[in-house]
Amino acid sequence: MGEASLFDFMREQGWTTLEIMHDRQSGKMSLRGATEWLENTVWDRYGEVDLVSTMEWFETEGVRPRIARSPVKEHYGKVVELMRRGGHEVLELLLDRKQDIRFLAGIHSTRLGNPAGGIRRHSLEDPEIDVFSDIFNLSRDMSFKNAAAGIPNGGCKLGVHSSLPEGERDKRFYGFLAYCIDRQMAFTGPDMGFNLEDANRIREFTKNIVGGTARTGSGGATGITAAWGVFLAMKAALMEEGFEGLRVAVQGAGELGGPLVKHLVDAGARVLVADISDEALAGLPGTVERGAAEGILRAECDILAPCAVGGVLTEETIAGLRCRMVVGGANNQLAATSQKQEYRMARLVADRGILFLPDWIVNAGGVIQGKMEHVRGEKFVLEDAKAEAGRVIPPNVEDVLYIAQKQSITPVEAAYRKFEADVYGTAG
Ligand code: PHE
């Protein structure tokens, strides 16, 4: 690796825990470094026995000079800068030293309640700063998504920076993650890099993960309701027009893109899909056209639906768009790390005469399903989650379009204006 790493720094200090806390009001940062479990902690017995107790800890005055003396100092400065720019409350890093599992929680806002958000996995080949930045962006997105969905939770995103091969993900691995999730979260669910089976395994230890296989008493993949919500958002944006004969290009046929394609086909749209995995494409209806992954953002179509990775709308790709609207399920489609930057990118799309709907308004169906499963447990019914998405998402789309038109701003800016008091307490 050789890249600067706060987890490596923790290891050098013998710490399991590092918390970086930011007070949005005063701008003050505070820190806590601690050793809270042993190297050979039996995480596979999490829930049965007490595994955690604070053996040694340092508050800000103890942690800061240690960072200042270390080569990690500059990297730490970048992390702090990202937190300030995005208005984030906490970055918590937890380390299992034995298996080198690097767990991170980016907690953006707790104003509405305990934070909820998905869990993602990143390869150790990705530089740590990129992983942190991804998690920060996604956690900010979750604060607004939860607010827009009417869910009484703040926003966070969890990440696992680890190269542990799938075959070595054992009970110890899942037990550790369950502990990390329980530590402060309301609930989480699998996001990119985590599958239903991972959720099932973590669920053996905690009910604070949702979105596992239905047979385990879980609600099934949250992509189902997410896809339904995206479809309804498109429908609301189309107003009277309807889908018959429209051309829709879908990027990504995974847990969200796959079900979305089926809704579109059923509604009479002509669908073009691209995915880097042939396997994902294989399960789609026969009438769907398969395109090359590289060209999909430039496809000539009525609606472009990014449903895979984030950051796909850059200055360059925006210039190449050939659609009337962009309405998709991927998180953070605009390549940006702050609200301000998002406004700028959204303006570029609008200047091309293309309608872009903010993704956290459109794809809230996933967390709506997750919340319902978390609250109702075994009594969860998928149809209720879909109905709730139908109650929440189309009116949000209509409102945002109305405000945007009235105030001559982009729908992105309109959406932030509508919900920022919920997330920050004041207009941000
Ligand atoms: N990961 C989902 C998203 O990005 C939301 C989610 C959170 C789903 C928690 C389930 C549990 O929107």
Side-chain angles (χ1 to χ4, degrees), residues 117-118 142 145 157 187-189 191 210 222 331 363 366-367 370:
M142 281 312 306
K145 193 181 312 197
K157 205 82 180 191
F187 63 96
T188 191
D191 202 281
V210 298
T222 52
N331 287 321
N363 70 14
V367 76

Side-chain angles (χ1 to χ4, degrees), residues 116-120 138 141-142 145-146 156-157 187-192 208-211 222-223 226 256 329-331 359-360 363-371 373-374:
I119 183 164
R120 280 197 175 193
L138 291 159
D141 174 88
M142 281 312 306
K145 193 181 312 197
N146 291 340
C156 71
K157 205 82 180 191
F187 63 96
T188 191
D191 202 281
M192 290 173 77
N208 291 332
I209 187 158
V210 298
T222 52
L256 196 162
N331 287 321
D359 34 61
W360 48 267
N363 70 14
V367 76
I368 288 174
Q369 179 179 330
K371 176 71 181 178
E373 178 190 329
H374 190 240

Side-chain angles (χ1 to χ4, degrees), residues 38-330:
L38 301 167
E39 187 132 356
N40 53 0
T41 295
V42 284
W43 292 113
D44 45 326
R45 298 196 56 204
Y46 171 60
E48 284 169 46
V49 283
D50 282 342
L51 301 173
V52 180
S53 67
T54 305
M55 290 165 253
E56 184 183 35
W57 79 96
F58 299 93
E59 307 286 339
T60 310
E61 323 75 66
V63 180
R64 195 168 273 143
R66 284 177 163 78
I67 292 179
R69 283 197 303 269
S70 148
V72 84
K73 184 179 162 200
E74 198 185 319
H75 175 59
Y76 167 78
K78 287 186 198 156
V79 174
V80 167
E81 174 54 30
L82 283 174
M83 288 181 75
R84 287 196 199 283
R85 201 191 303 161
H88 300 268
E89 287 177 15
V90 180
L91 173 66
E92 172 160 271
L93 308 179
L94 303 173
L95 174 66
D96 173 73
R97 288 170 289 175
K98 188 160 174 207
Q99 287 181 306
D100 197 23
I101 307 162
R102 302 162 178 228
F103 175 93
L104 59 140
I107 299 172
H108 175 259
S109 160
T110 50
R111 194 171 174 276
L112 289 176
N114 282 348
I119 183 164
R120 280 197 175 193
R121 196 175 61 84
H122 300 80
S123 149
L124 270 185
E125 270 151 41
D126 302 340
E128 192 177 277
I129 193 73
D130 293 353
V131 176
F132 289 0
S133 171
D134 188 44
I135 292 295
F136 284 144
N137 287 337
L138 291 159
S139 66
R140 187 164 57 82
D141 174 88
M142 281 312 306
S143 289
F144 282 93
K145 193 181 312 197
N146 291 340
I151 290 173
N153 288 106
C156 71
K157 205 82 180 191
L158 313 182
V160 181
H161 195 197
S162 151
S163 290
L164 206 65
E166 220 153 305
E168 282 172 44
R169 297 187 192 177
D170 54 10
K171 263 197 109 164
R172 214 177 156 271
F173 174 74
Y174 292 111
F176 177 62
L177 295 190
Y179 163 74
C180 295
I181 290 165
D182 284 346
R183 192 168 156 122
Q184 61 219 308
M185 299 306 132
F187 63 96
T188 191
D191 202 281
M192 290 173 77
F194 269 89
N195 57 33
L196 272 76
E197 193 48 32
D198 291 317
N200 294 343
R201 298 288 306 273
I202 297 172
R203 222 180 141 73
E204 291 170 19
F205 295 96
T206 176
K207 290 257 187 296
N208 291 332
I209 187 158
V210 298
T213 323
R215 71 176 150 74
T216 63
S218 194
T222 52
I224 300 169
T225 305
W228 180 241
V230 176
F231 176 73
L232 295 179
M234 287 178 176
K235 200 167 160 191
L238 286 168
M239 292 188 252
E240 310 307 308
E241 195 180 340
F243 288 95
E244 199 60 50
L246 283 195
R247 191 164 161 81
V248 185
V250 181
Q251 180 186 40
E255 299 285 356
L256 196 162
L260 174 63
V261 166
K262 288 178 192 136
H263 296 314
L264 291 167
V265 169
D266 289 346
R270 293 178 297 140
V271 183
L272 169 73
V273 190
D275 196 295
I276 44 173
S277 139
D278 289 337
E279 210 184 313
L281 293 174
L284 299 176
T287 53
V288 167
E289 190 188 328
R290 275 90 167 147
E294 309 80 57
I296 193 83
L297 296 174
R298 269 174 284 122
E300 203 167 339
C301 58
D302 295 286
I303 310 177
L304 172 69
C307 295
V309 291
V312 290
L313 297 176
T314 62
E315 273 179 41
E316 197 189 326
T317 59
I318 290 170
L321 292 175
R322 291 197 291 164
C323 55
R324 284 161 51 201
M325 49 178 95
V326 181
V327 183

Side-chain angles (χ1 to χ4, degrees), residues 347-368:
R347 175 47 59 201
L348 292 180
V349 184
D351 285 348
R352 291 225 37 228
I354 297 166
L355 172 71
F356 172 76
L357 284 185
D359 34 61
W360 48 267
I361 294 283
V362 169
N363 70 14
V367 76
I368 288 174

Side-chain angles (χ1 to χ4, degrees), residues 326-354:
V326 181
V327 183
N331 287 321
N332 303 335
Q333 291 164 40
L334 300 169
T337 53
S338 68
Q339 202 170 312
K340 258 209 195 110
Q341 280 180 356
E342 282 187 41
Y343 287 5
R344 216 190 112 243
M345 301 304 282
R347 175 47 59 201
L348 292 180
V349 184
D351 285 348
R352 291 225 37 228
I354 297 166

